[in-house]
Every structure is written in structure tokens, then in C-alpha cells.
Amino acid sequence: MNCTVFDELATLVHLSELFLDNVETGANPKARAKLTRFLKNTSVVELRMRLNDNGLNSISGATSKFMAQQKTLLKIRAIGGQFKAAETARKLRLRAKLDAYRRELVALPCLDGNGRSVAGTFTDENYLVSSKIASIGAITVLLLGVAAFLIFDRINKLNSRKKKRFVCNASCLVHPAEQEEVIEAQIIDVSQLGAKVKSEVTCPVGAEVEVNVPEKTLVYPDHSVTYAGWSIPARVLWRNGNYFGVEFKTLMERAQLDQLVQAG
């Protein structure tokens, strides 16, 4: 693949993932504008023509469909808001489709300035090399490609785990930094990156807050479990009626996440 075109597609994937994160968690507030600007400045027709010119008809249609999906999600986000966009993303399985498109993209090689595959072999006599050297080169490129893909896939899975949201109904206290009043609230869903909170009194967007989870004891037929109280600093990213979303300033510990899900 022509590496210039590859860079464009890689940028598309990156901006799309940031926007999807924004839809799901409220993180990356500038992601929506960045993806909108990229899609506005990128002609689907011209991009497909360049892909076809490079002999990449196989990904041309997938790219067009992927860009159409992102435009649809952007439109729903603009008209219906974050909740509607998040619901649509879940129903259409856009996270899985994003990962599938990324995998398809990573598997493609770049072409050099003369349009020859860096990882390919040549039949023209001007480029003939010994089979041993060709084999070593091909194996090296293959191994590097596999290693890069595995690392990339591992990082993506770790990030996805941090972003994964869990439904819960855990009581908490929200303490705005510039107020003495403490707000009683319920955590509706949560990930290691942030949470959706419901309360009668909401906080303004941009407010710095402290989310306090009180000590709680769960009583079972044959034993009981007591969870110690803890708190985590956060910032309000959005507000809608009696709901608002917060982004944690530090990554929530897995044990604390499990406590919220179980205790809620």
C-alpha cells in the first residue's frame, strides 16, 4: 500500500476510536471536532480511487462503509446527544467493526516510491536476488509484522478492558471542589476511566469533584463482606437532566471497580 494513503487510513482509525471513546465514556471532548474535520476534508471518492490505483480494491469498499458509519454516528451525536449515540454504537457493534477494520488495515503492506511492495518479491530480472536472501528478507518482514500486530492488539485489548463499562447501582457522595455541600448520588455505570452518575443536584460541566464511596457491608447467608470506603478525584464532562458523567483523574483500581459492581 502507498504509505501516504496508509497514513490517512491510520489517522481515520485513530480519530474514530477517540470519538467512540467520547461517545461511550465522555472522554476526549475534542475528538468529535477532529473526526468531523478529517471527514470533511477527505473525499471518499478520491480516497477510493487512490486505493484502487494501488491495487487495493479489497479494502476500498470497507473504507467507504467505515467512513459512512462514522458520519452516521457523528450525525446521531449532534442530533440526539451522547446517550443516543452510545446506544446506537452498541446496537451497531461499532467497537467490533472498528477493531475488524483496524486488523484488515494492519495486515496491508506499504509500497515504496516505485509502487513495489516492501514485503513482496519481484519477478523482474533487474530485481532478482538469491532465494536464500529473499527468504530471509521475507521471513524477517513477516516476523516484524506479526510482532507489531501482536503488540498493537495487546495494547488495544488492555485499553478496551479499561474502557469496559459495568452497570451498577452503588451509592456515593460527590463533593464539588468549590462547595461545602456534599451531593448524594448513585453510580449508574462505571469503568476504570469514569462513571455515569445520577443525583437530584447535578454538577456543572468542567467542575472538579471528589467521588466518595462509603464503607459498605454485604450480608450473605453464611458470611458477610465489609468494603472499606475510598474516594477518587474526577472532572465532570457532561450533564443531562439528573445525570452527569465524570472522568477520573487517576485510573480506578480493578478491586475498587469490582467492589462497585458487586456492592451495587
Side-chain angles (χ1 to χ4, degrees):
M1 170 182 261
N2 183 289
C3 292
T4 302
V5 181
F6 182 86
D7 288 343
E8 282 192 64
L9 298 185
T11 299
L12 170 63
V13 170
H14 176 65
L15 294 179
S16 298
E17 182 167 31
L18 291 181
F19 175 58
L20 188 55
D21 291 345
N22 173 258
V23 167
E24 293 177 341
T25 69
N28 304 312
K30 296 181 180 180
R32 176 183 171 188
K34 290 181 179 179
L35 179 59
T36 299
R37 185 164 55 250
F38 176 88
L39 293 175
K40 182 179 179 180
N41 295 332
T42 304
S43 168
V44 178
V45 175
E46 292 181 2
L47 182 58
R48 292 193 65 178
M49 288 177 62
R50 280 187 286 149
L51 289 172
N52 293 337
D53 289 342
N54 282 278
L56 297 166
N57 309 61
S58 60
I59 200 174
S60 176
T63 299
S64 178
K65 185 176 181 180
F66 181 74
M67 293 177 73
Q69 291 169 348
Q70 300 311 305
K71 290 180 180 179
T72 298
L73 190 61
L74 281 167
K75 185 177 295 185
I76 293 175
R77 175 67 174 85
I79 298 175
Q82 181 185 353
F83 293 142
K84 185 65 176 179
E87 180 183 3
T88 300
R90 286 193 293 270
K91 288 183 178 179
L92 297 180
R93 300 183 69 250
L94 292 187
R95 175 69 66 180
K97 292 178 180 178
L98 171 65
D99 291 339
Y101 181 75
R102 179 193 287 113
R103 289 172 182 270
E104 191 172 354
L105 179 61
V106 169
L108 297 175
C110 288
L111 302 181
D112 63 16
N114 296 317
R116 297 189 304 270
S117 172
V118 175
T121 57
F122 309 110
T123 56
D124 190 294
E125 61 181 4
N126 293 325
Y127 302 106
L128 288 177
V129 295
S130 71
S131 59
K132 181 177 181 180
I133 295 177
S135 298
I136 293 175
I139 292 173
T140 300
V141 171
L142 177 61
L143 290 176
L144 288 174
V146 171
F149 176 76
L150 291 176
I151 293 173
F152 187 84
D153 188 55
R154 176 60 176 169
I155 292 174
N156 182 59
K157 287 181 179 179
L158 289 175
N159 288 335
S160 296
R161 184 181 180 188
K162 294 174 185 176
K163 299 169 188 173
K164 185 176 181 180
R165 304 184 74 82
F166 298 88
V167 176
C168 67
N169 187 27
S171 300
C172 72
L173 297 174
V174 178
H175 187 189
E178 300 180 358
Q179 299 179 21
E180 294 184 3
E181 180 184 5
V182 176
I183 301 172
E184 295 185 358
Q186 296 289 122
I187 297 177
I188 304 302
D189 63 48
V190 64
S191 73
Q192 289 184 275
L193 301 178
K196 176 181 176 182
V197 181
K198 179 181 180 181
S199 69
E200 294 298 324
V201 180
T202 58
C203 299
V205 174
E208 304 290 329
V209 300
E210 190 89 13
V211 179
N212 297 285
V213 178
E215 178 181 306
K216 185 170 184 176
T217 300
L218 298 180
V219 180
Y220 299 97
D222 56 348
H223 70 287
S224 62
V225 178
T226 299
Y227 292 102
W230 50 272
S231 64
I232 187 169
R235 182 170 65 92
V236 178
L237 291 181
W238 58 266
R239 182 177 64 177
N240 189 346
N242 290 334
Y243 298 89
F244 60 95
V246 297
E247 178 184 35
F248 301 137
K249 292 187 175 181
T250 58
L251 191 68
M252 178 183 288
E253 295 180 7
R254 186 71 192 186
Q256 294 174 338
L257 177 64
D258 293 340
Q259 172 187 339
L260 286 177
V261 175
Q262 184 177 0

